[in-house]
């Protein structure tokens, strides 16, 4: 075996780079969304052990909805990408390109086992540029193929060194082979098939047997005419070790999936649920179809499910000729490679093994798979194809007549393949470009129409999305997911009637209850979302809440482990003012998934409704343990700590609000509440900074404007408060507290009695029963020395609040002044503090509007789940606002401030009495 040199490596790496450089500018598309964007196993906060408990998509292997794809080492590389660049796709694509270059270089070394240097280089270059690999290289999830192939080829190369001098066994390479096979299998399941290739290599290449020779030796042994040769015994020992290790890996793999096969729908692989002979004829036809894609990769498609390949239901179908021709050609190559000795037959045999054995897991031979054709599973089989092409070219080019023509054809093939690969990469730039390119190849796949609709929907282009979703229902009328997508889009367009009709159509396609008959039916988990989506739609109507609850309960009855149904029902029960039942629903959901931060958050909101702030805070903390960046939990737990009034909790509340604004730097609410905390801690300068930032982000932020003005008034900066109050009243002319504060500043600081009077009169225009505004207007009359009018005003105010003693005392003071014969001679000098004679002194009555307008507590829910999506992805969470309530400690704080106000009123009374 010749070694590879630096020049060969440089050429291969250069070619790979030239073909795939533009893949660096592609995003996350198709299955990348589920495997990367929606996969929490990538996050550093997820324990590493979880990678070995979940499938490739982050779903626990124990769950029925799991795809059962166990590839923890591949997910580990995604996690490393996330560690360095989080969710920036360029680094993911770059690593894929590097892995493809590594595979191409190792493949060159394998080729040199069976081909000369020149032919090996041609096979490796053809492999590097073949367009069929774009799905495996440019699609990030294709990394499973790339990683598995690296260890697949490494295991094979290691095994080729297991034969020592005099046909002795070298155990170290065999042990290394077993380890590499296990690693390859942990990257992708097909890695285990390298054991079959090693067995074929051992028997027909390393030992040089042919099929006739094996049959002759076996016949003589069974007839007792001869014993088994020592070399054959050595071979049997090696094969037994390989097979035993393989069996052990298979047993472990079966244990991992808990002896359960994944559940696929009839749309994923229609032939798998078809009767005989349709199933066999269609599955056999898929073999020549895959071979044709290797031979002529001109029309590539990212999805071949549903109606892409019509079923072969008759022996008279003309496509059976392709199947027959393919098996004849394959059989001829097999006979040639097994019957005749020589280097050529050995090369053909290894090429056939590389094509056939790694393809077996995807062939539906032992179990049905979740696709019809998948281009990425041809990544390893294409190695055998490239060896065959290079070997055939070698034979042709050795003939002088065809030498120049063979070079021209080879050059054209590699060049056109490279151009096709470069062009195909751009199809993977976005989901829209990918699925539109697929529709050019195949218009009979409803899933493609759905996915174009999803891409447009993500761009908020609902009108165009609707057209594609409707076309999906025409292509596949019984596609439940397509009708769900139509319903969701109608809802987004506020066409609720049509949305409900579409959801009802989807619901009618679900298995129906047959009276008096008991039967079992498999339902795709995402199809059950039709009940959730329909319930979420009709619950907008207050009169149909019970109907919505019935739909949730129906979904739960069909699938008791349907977590989302419990979550949505819990939210509905809160809306129906049934917090205890909502709590039960969330606790049931937590039994199914205790590591869901959103569930703990929702349960915290329930405890807030139940007036259990301590329990709420515990659940907020649990949510943050699972997801330290859970924005709503950060925000609302900080508010809860702030409202508790406990000084020791303020530092943690501040820390969480700082984390929140780091996650949501454009949300003014975070800055506002930091300002409130600073005011609580008497850090006036810091409070001013935070409130100004909140106003900068949201110029009409009502509470921020008022509290900034209040802060200025409390820190002897009343004149700075006036422009803030003017801005507040420009946006909110009916802001009563703002008018009272403005009136107070105008009277005490500006000595503008007329301006203050207008403020208080405007309050009474809006609310004639406002005691504070009315009382302050009485003070204005007193300031104007209109004592009779002040007396009438205070009488009216006392009638509005007969239990307020300070009003009665102030009325008595005014009456004393009226009755005093010396009133005209005494100087009346309450000017600097008269506005303080009020129901509750402005600075104390106008206490900080803490949380009067922060983001309300929110219940996290999921509505209108996308169905029949390329990656079963789910829409983002929506929220329902909950009205905040004053806590007991907040009420006590207000009472303390009322007492302070009354003390100040006593001082004012002394001034009025001339003391």
């Amino acid at each position: 075996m010749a070694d590879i040199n630096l020049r060969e490596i440089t050429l291969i790496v250069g070619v790979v780079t030239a073909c795939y450089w533009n893949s660096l500018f592609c995003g996350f598309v198709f299955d990348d969304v589920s495997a990367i964007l929606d996969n929490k196993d990538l996050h550093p906060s997820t324990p590493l052990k979880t990678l070995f408990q979940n499938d490739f998509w982050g779903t626990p292997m124990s769950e029925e909805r799991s795809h059962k794809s166990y590839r923890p080492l591949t997910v580990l590389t995604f996690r490393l990408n996330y560690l360095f660049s989080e969710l920036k796709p360029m680094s993911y694509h770059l690593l894929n390109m590097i892995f493809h270059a590594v595979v191409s270089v190792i493949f060159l070394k394998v080729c040199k086992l069976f081909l000369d240097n020149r032919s090996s280089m041609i096979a490796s270059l053809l492999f590097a540029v073949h367009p069929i690999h774009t799905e495996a290289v440019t699609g990030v999830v294709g990394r499973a193929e790339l990683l598995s192939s690296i260890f697949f080829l490494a295991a094979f190369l290691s095994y080729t060194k297991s034969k020592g001098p005099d046909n002795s066994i070298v155990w170290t390479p065999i042990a290394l082979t077993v380890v590499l096979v296990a690693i390859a299998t942990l990257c992708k399941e097909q890695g285990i098939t390298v054991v079959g290739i090693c067995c074929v290599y051992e028997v027909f290449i390393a030992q040089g047997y042919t099929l006739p020779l094996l049959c002759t030796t076996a016949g003589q042994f069974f007839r007792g005419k001869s014993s088994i040769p020592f070399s054959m015994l050595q071979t049997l020992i090696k094969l037994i070790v390989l097979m035993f290790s393989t069996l052990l890996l298979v047993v472990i793999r079966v244990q991992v999936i808990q002896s359960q096969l994944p559940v696929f729908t009839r749309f994923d692989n229609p032939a798998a649920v078809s009767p005989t002979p349709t199933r066999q004829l269609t599955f056999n036809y898929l073999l020549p179809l895959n071979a044709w894609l290797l031979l002529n990769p001109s029309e590539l498609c990212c999805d071949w499910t549903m109606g892409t390949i019509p079923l072969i239901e008759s022996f008279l179908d003309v496509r059976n000729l392709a199947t027959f021709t393919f098996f004849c050609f394959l059989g001829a190559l097999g006979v040639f490679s097994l019957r005749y000795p020589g280097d050529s037959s050995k090369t053909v045999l290894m090429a056939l093994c590389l094509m056939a054995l790694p393809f077996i897991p995807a062939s539906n031979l032992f179990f049905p798979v979740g696709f019809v054709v998948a281009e990425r599973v041809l990544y390893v089989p294409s190695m055998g194809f490239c060896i065959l092409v290079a070997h055939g070219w070698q034979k042709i080019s050795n003939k002088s007549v065809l030498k120049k023509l063979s070079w021209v054809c080879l050059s054209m093939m590699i060049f056109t393949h490279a151009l096709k690969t470069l062009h195909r990469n751009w199809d993977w730039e976005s989901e829209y470009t990918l699925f539109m390119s697929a529709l050019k190849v195949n218009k009979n796949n409803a899933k493609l129409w759905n996915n174009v609709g999803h891409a447009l929907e993500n761009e908020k282009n609902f009108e165009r999305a609707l057209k594609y979703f409707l076309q999906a229902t025409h292509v596949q009328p019984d596609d439940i997911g397509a009708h769900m997508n139509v319903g969701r889009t109608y809802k987004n367009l506020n066409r609720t009637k049509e949305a409900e009709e579409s959801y009802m159509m989807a619901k009618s396609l679900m298995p129906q209850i047959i009276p008096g008959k008991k039967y079992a039916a498999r339902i795709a988990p995402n199809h059950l979302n039709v009940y959730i989506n329909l319930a979420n739609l009709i619950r907008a109507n207050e009169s149909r809440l019970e109907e919505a609850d019935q739909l949730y309960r129906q979904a739960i009855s069909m699938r008791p482990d349907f977590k989302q149904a419990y979550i949505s029902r819990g939210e509905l029960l809160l809306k129906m003012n049934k917090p205890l039942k909502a709590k039960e629903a969330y606790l049931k959901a937590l039994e199914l998934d205790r590591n869901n931060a959103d569930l703990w958050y929702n349960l915290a909101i329930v405890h807030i409704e139940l007036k259990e702030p301590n329990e709420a805070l515990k659940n907020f903390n649990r949510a943050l343990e699972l997801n330290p960046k859970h924005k709503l939990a950060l925000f609302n737990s900080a508010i809860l700590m702030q409202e508790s009034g406990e000084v020791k909790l303020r530092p943690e509340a501040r820390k969480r609000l700082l984390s929140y604004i780091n996650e949501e730097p454009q949300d003014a609410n975070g800055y506002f509440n930091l300002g409130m905390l600073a005011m609580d801690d008497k850090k006036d300068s810091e409070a001013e900074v935070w409130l100004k930032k909140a106003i900068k982000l949201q110029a009409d932020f009502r509470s921020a404007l008022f509290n900034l003005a209040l802060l200025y008034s409390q820190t002897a900066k009343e004149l700075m408060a006036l422009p803030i109050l003017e801005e507040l009243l420009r946006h909110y002319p009916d802001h009563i507290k703002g008018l009272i504060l403005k009136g107070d500043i105008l009277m005490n600081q500006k000595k503008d009695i007329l301006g203050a009077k207008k403020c208080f009169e405007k309050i009474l225009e809006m609310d004639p029963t406002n005691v504070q505004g009315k009382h302050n207007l009485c003070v204005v009359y007193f300031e104007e020395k209109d004592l009779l009018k002040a007396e009438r005003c205070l009488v009216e105010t006392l009638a509005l609040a007969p239990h307020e003693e300070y009003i009665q005392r102030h009325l008595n003071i005014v009456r004393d002044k009226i009755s005093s014969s010396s009133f005209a001679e005494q100087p009346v000098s309450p000017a600097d503090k008269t506005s303080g004679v009020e129901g509750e002194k402005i600075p104390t009555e106008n206490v900080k509007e803490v949380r009067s307008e922060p983001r309300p507590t929110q219940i996290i829910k999921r509505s209108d789940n996308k169905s029949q999506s390329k990656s079963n992805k789910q829409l983002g969470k929506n929220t329902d606002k909950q009205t905040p309530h004053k806590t007991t400690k907040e009420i006590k704080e207000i009472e303390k401030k009322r007492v302070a106000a009354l003390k100040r009123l006593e001082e004012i009374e002394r001034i009025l009495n001339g003391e």
Side-chain angles (χ1 to χ4, degrees):
M1 177 177 65
D3 290 327
I4 54 179
N5 56 51
L6 182 60
R7 186 176 62 181
E8 292 170 332
I9 294 174
T10 303
L11 178 59
I12 291 173
V13 171
V15 168
V16 169
T17 304
C19 288
Y20 286 99
W21 65 268
N22 57 339
S23 70
L24 300 179
F25 304 100
C26 297
F28 293 120
V29 297
F30 204 13
D31 289 337
D32 297 347
V33 177
S34 291
I36 308 295
L37 299 182
D38 297 339
N39 192 347
K40 294 182 180 179
D41 289 348
L42 272 64
H43 301 170
S45 58
T46 303
L48 276 175
K49 66 178 183 180
T50 307
L51 271 65
F52 295 87
Q53 297 170 347
N54 294 348
D55 66 13
F56 188 51
W57 317 97
T59 305
M61 295 291 289
S62 57
E63 292 190 14
E64 184 183 350
R65 64 189 179 94
S66 169
H67 198 273
K68 309 301 181 186
S69 304
Y70 189 64
R71 304 162 191 173
L73 296 187
T74 303
V75 178
L76 184 60
T77 65
F78 292 153
R79 184 162 174 149
L80 291 174
N81 270 121
Y82 187 92
L83 186 64
F84 287 106
S85 64
E86 293 193 348
L87 295 176
K88 296 176 182 177
M90 181 174 285
S91 72
Y92 293 80
H93 289 294
L94 176 61
L95 195 54
N96 269 26
M97 187 172 73
I98 293 172
F99 284 149
H100 180 54
V102 171
V103 174
S104 300
V105 170
I106 300 175
F107 177 58
L108 172 62
K109 194 172 182 67
V110 171
C111 289
K112 290 190 175 186
L113 292 170
F114 315 109
L115 299 170
D116 59 33
N117 286 342
R118 187 175 61 183
S119 300
S120 297
M121 196 66 196
I122 289 169
S124 183
L125 287 175
L126 180 57
F127 176 81
V129 304
H130 204 296
I132 202 72
H133 298 155
T134 51
E135 183 171 337
V137 181
T138 310
V140 178
V141 294
R143 186 178 299 177
E145 267 73 24
L146 306 176
L147 277 175
S148 180
S149 298
I150 289 173
F151 296 105
F152 180 102
L153 295 175
F156 177 68
L157 287 174
S158 176
Y159 186 80
T160 59
K161 298 176 182 179
S162 64
K163 181 180 177 181
D166 301 324
N167 209 27
S168 59
I169 301 175
V170 183
W171 289 107
T172 301
I174 294 177
L176 181 59
T177 297
V178 173
V179 172
L180 290 171
V181 169
I183 295 174
T185 306
L186 290 174
C187 294
K188 192 176 180 184
E189 297 78 2
Q190 68 181 26
I192 201 170
T193 60
V194 70
V195 174
I197 293 173
C198 291
C199 292
V200 172
Y201 174 84
E202 176 65 31
V203 175
F204 296 100
I205 309 300
Q207 302 300 330
Y209 292 114
T210 60
L211 190 60
L213 180 58
L214 282 176
C215 292
T216 300
T217 303
Q220 290 177 348
F221 173 74
F222 285 118
R223 289 196 297 269
K225 292 184 178 181
S226 65
S227 60
I228 299 177
F230 178 74
S231 61
M232 187 172 287
L233 283 174
Q234 294 279 74
T235 300
L236 284 174
I237 291 172
K238 292 167 74 175
L239 295 182
I240 288 171
V241 170
L242 280 179
M243 297 308 295
F244 178 78
S245 61
T246 303
L247 182 62
L248 183 62
L249 284 175
V250 170
V251 170
I252 293 173
R253 182 68 174 83
V254 170
Q255 289 297 317
V256 166
I257 66 173
Q258 301 183 359
S259 303
Q260 294 178 348
L261 289 175
V263 178
F264 299 114
T265 68
R266 58 190 177 89
F267 301 116
D268 297 321
N269 189 351
V273 294
S274 300
T276 302
T278 299
R279 180 170 66 255
Q280 289 77 13
L281 291 175
T282 304
F283 282 160
N284 285 327
Y285 171 69
L286 295 179
L287 299 177
L289 179 63
N290 279 279
W292 178 250
L293 288 175
L294 289 173
L295 189 63
N296 178 31
S298 59
E299 293 188 339
L300 300 177
C301 181
C302 63
D303 192 287
W304 296 78
T305 56
M306 303 189 83
T308 303
I309 311 296
L311 298 173
I312 299 178
E313 299 177 318
S314 169
F315 288 101
L316 300 178
D317 193 309
V318 69
R319 288 175 292 173
N320 289 321
L321 290 176
T323 306
F324 178 76
T325 303
F326 171 77
F327 278 107
C328 286
F329 180 71
L330 195 65
L333 288 177
V335 169
F336 168 75
S337 61
L338 291 172
R339 185 169 183 177
Y340 301 104
D343 292 340
S344 180
S345 60
K346 291 178 180 179
T347 301
V348 172
L349 178 61
M350 291 309 300
L352 290 176
C353 287
L354 278 170
M355 287 179 67
L357 295 180
F359 187 74
I360 286 176
S363 66
N364 295 282
L365 181 63
F366 297 111
F367 46 82
V369 293
F371 53 84
V372 179
V373 173
E375 293 165 10
R376 62 174 174 259
V377 303
L378 293 175
Y379 189 76
V380 176
S382 68
M383 295 178 184
F385 171 78
C386 292
I387 291 176
L388 273 182
V389 171
H391 182 60
W393 175 86
Q394 180 186 10
K395 294 292 185 183
I396 294 173
S397 64
N398 286 337
K399 298 180 181 179
S400 58
V401 180
L402 301 174
K403 186 173 184 178
K404 290 185 178 180
L405 181 61
S406 66
W407 272 105
V408 171
C409 291
L410 178 67
S411 301
M412 287 293 294
M413 180 175 65
I414 292 178
F415 180 70
T416 55
H417 275 32
L419 284 182
K420 172 66 176 177
T421 298
L422 190 65
H423 181 265
R424 174 66 173 157
N425 287 334
W426 289 122
D427 290 340
W428 291 78
E429 183 178 13
S430 68
E431 297 206 318
Y432 179 77
T433 56
L434 178 63
F435 298 126
M436 286 301 293
S437 70
L439 281 178
K440 294 176 184 176
V441 176
N442 171 31
K443 291 181 170 59
N444 295 321
N445 186 339
K447 190 174 179 181
L448 293 176
W449 293 99
N450 276 318
N451 287 340
V452 174
H454 287 314
L456 292 169
E457 186 181 35
N458 290 336
E459 297 173 0
K460 307 300 180 185
N461 193 340
F462 298 121
E463 292 286 355
R464 285 190 65 199
L466 181 60
K467 294 178 182 178
Y468 284 91
F469 288 141
L470 287 171
Q471 181 61 30
T473 63
H474 295 150
V475 171
Q476 192 84 39
D478 58 347
D479 181 8
I480 296 172
H483 290 287
M484 290 170 65
N485 293 334
V486 171
R488 186 182 61 257
T489 310
Y490 275 134
K491 182 184 177 184
N492 289 331
L493 292 169
N494 294 319
R495 297 164 63 177
T496 54
K497 182 180 179 182
E498 292 94 333
E500 184 172 350
E501 290 173 356
S502 297
Y503 285 142
M504 291 301 293
M505 172 61 74
K507 184 171 174 285
S508 69
L509 295 171
M510 297 285 286
Q512 302 297 312
I513 297 174
I514 302 175
K517 183 178 179 181
K518 186 177 181 180
Y519 72 101
R522 276 193 167 183
I523 303 172
N526 63 313
H527 286 172
L528 281 174
N529 286 324
V530 66
Y531 295 98
I532 306 298
N533 294 352
L534 182 56
N536 290 344
L537 178 70
I538 66 175
R539 57 186 276 184
N541 185 339
E542 295 289 336
S543 65
R544 302 181 70 182
L545 296 182
E546 289 293 344
E547 185 180 346
D549 189 34
Q550 185 178 357
L551 285 167
Y552 292 136
R553 286 186 277 114
Q554 188 174 354
I556 292 170
S557 68
M558 296 182 74
R559 193 180 181 92
D561 63 346
F562 190 14
K563 178 179 63 181
Q564 186 55 42
Y566 292 106
I567 296 173
S568 298
R569 184 167 185 251
E571 184 208 352
L572 176 67
L573 290 168
L574 269 181
K575 187 176 182 179
M576 297 170 71
N577 199 25
K578 298 179 180 179
L580 289 176
K581 288 189 176 181
K583 180 180 176 182
E584 291 177 8
Y586 286 131
L587 288 174
K588 183 64 179 177
L590 281 168
E591 290 178 11
L592 301 171
D593 184 6
R594 298 195 65 80
N595 295 321
N596 188 320
D598 292 340
L599 278 174
W600 290 103
Y601 170 83
N602 286 357
L603 186 59
I605 300 302
V606 173
H607 282 295
I608 288 177
E609 290 295 313
L610 292 170
K611 306 295 187 297
E612 298 172 349
N614 291 334
E615 288 299 316
L617 189 56
K618 288 179 183 178
N619 288 306
F620 280 138
N621 292 339
R622 178 63 174 148
L624 291 170
E625 287 174 11
L626 295 168
N627 180 8
K629 294 184 178 181
H630 195 291
K631 291 180 283 191
L632 291 175
L634 283 169
F635 184 87
N636 286 297
S637 63
I639 301 305
L640 197 60
M641 291 176 177
Q642 190 175 358
E643 288 181 343
S644 71
E646 295 186 28
V647 177
K648 64 181 181 181
L649 293 178
R650 287 180 190 169
E652 179 62 23
R654 185 177 186 276
K655 180 181 175 182
R656 293 187 183 186
L657 285 172
L658 287 172
S659 298
Y660 176 76
I661 63 173
N662 186 53
E663 295 295 317
E664 287 286 344
Q666 298 303 311
D667 186 4
N669 293 286
Y671 300 98
F672 169 75
N673 283 282
L674 279 167
M676 296 299 96
L677 270 175
M679 289 182 74
D680 286 340
D681 291 333
K682 310 301 182 191
K683 297 177 180 178
D684 298 330
S685 298
E686 182 182 336
E688 180 182 359
V689 171
W690 290 123
L691 291 172
K692 282 183 175 179
K693 285 186 177 181
I695 294 168
K696 184 178 180 180
L697 287 171
Q698 186 180 333
D700 62 344
F701 197 152
R702 182 175 182 270
S703 296
L705 287 166
F706 176 79
N707 282 290
L708 180 58
L710 182 61
L711 177 65
Y712 285 145
S713 72
Q714 291 176 340
T715 54
K717 299 177 182 177
E718 289 88 348
L719 297 181
M720 293 178 66
L722 274 179
I724 304 298
L725 288 169
E726 293 290 348
E727 183 69 10
L728 171 67
L729 295 171
R730 184 174 70 84
H731 292 292
Y732 307 99
D734 57 347
H735 195 288
I736 291 177
K737 290 184 179 181
L739 288 166
I740 290 176
L741 183 56
K742 182 182 176 183
D744 176 52
I745 294 173
L746 289 175
M747 287 193 69
N748 286 331
Q749 304 300 321
K750 300 284 285 185
K751 310 302 180 183
D752 183 359
I753 298 175
L754 181 60
K757 185 177 182 180
K758 289 180 180 179
C759 291
F760 301 138
E761 286 177 342
K762 187 171 182 180
I763 293 171
L764 295 177
E765 287 176 12
M766 294 183 290
D767 181 12
T769 63
N770 186 284
V771 175
Q772 187 176 358
K774 182 115 178 136
H775 184 272
N776 287 357
L777 184 59
C778 300
V779 175
V780 170
Y781 295 148
F782 182 84
E783 182 71 18
E784 292 175 339
K785 300 183 180 180
D786 191 345
L787 298 181
L788 294 177
K789 198 170 184 180
E791 180 190 21
R792 289 196 301 272
C793 179
L794 285 168
V795 169
E796 293 172 1
T797 307
L798 186 61
L800 293 173
H803 302 295
E804 296 290 353
E805 295 180 3
Y806 68 89
I807 299 176
Q808 182 64 59
R809 288 199 303 272
H810 294 169
L811 178 59
N812 292 338
I813 291 171
V814 172
R815 284 175 173 169
D816 287 344
K817 295 294 182 181
I818 293 173
S819 62
S820 174
S821 58
S822 61
F823 180 82
E825 299 173 4
Q826 290 182 358
V828 181
S829 56
D832 57 333
K833 295 189 179 181
T834 32
S835 65
V837 185
E838 53 190 30
E840 295 198 19
K841 180 70 174 77
I842 290 173
T844 54
E845 173 66 17
N846 289 310
V847 291
K848 294 177 289 180
E849 292 189 48
V850 182
R851 290 159 296 283
S852 64
E853 291 183 29
R855 178 178 298 178
T857 52
Q858 301 176 0
I859 282 287
I860 292 180
K861 66 178 181 178
R862 188 180 305 138
S863 65
D864 296 333
N865 301 278
K866 289 186 180 180
S867 305
Q868 200 58 49
S869 167
K870 58 274 180 185
S871 56
N872 294 327
K873 66 182 178 184
Q874 298 162 330
L875 287 181
K877 307 172 184 70
N878 297 323
T879 56
D880 278 348
K881 295 183 178 180
Q882 305 293 325
T883 304
H885 300 282
K886 282 186 168 60
T887 63
T888 303
K889 292 192 176 180
E890 188 176 354
I891 292 170
K892 289 180 179 179
E893 186 69 19
I894 291 173
E895 288 301 322
K896 289 179 182 178
K897 290 174 180 177
R898 287 172 62 87
V899 171
L902 290 174
K903 287 181 179 179
R904 186 166 182 183
L905 286 174
E906 291 175 1
E907 296 176 4
I908 294 166
E909 290 169 10
R910 286 196 296 272
I911 293 171
L912 289 173
N913 286 319
E915 295 178 5

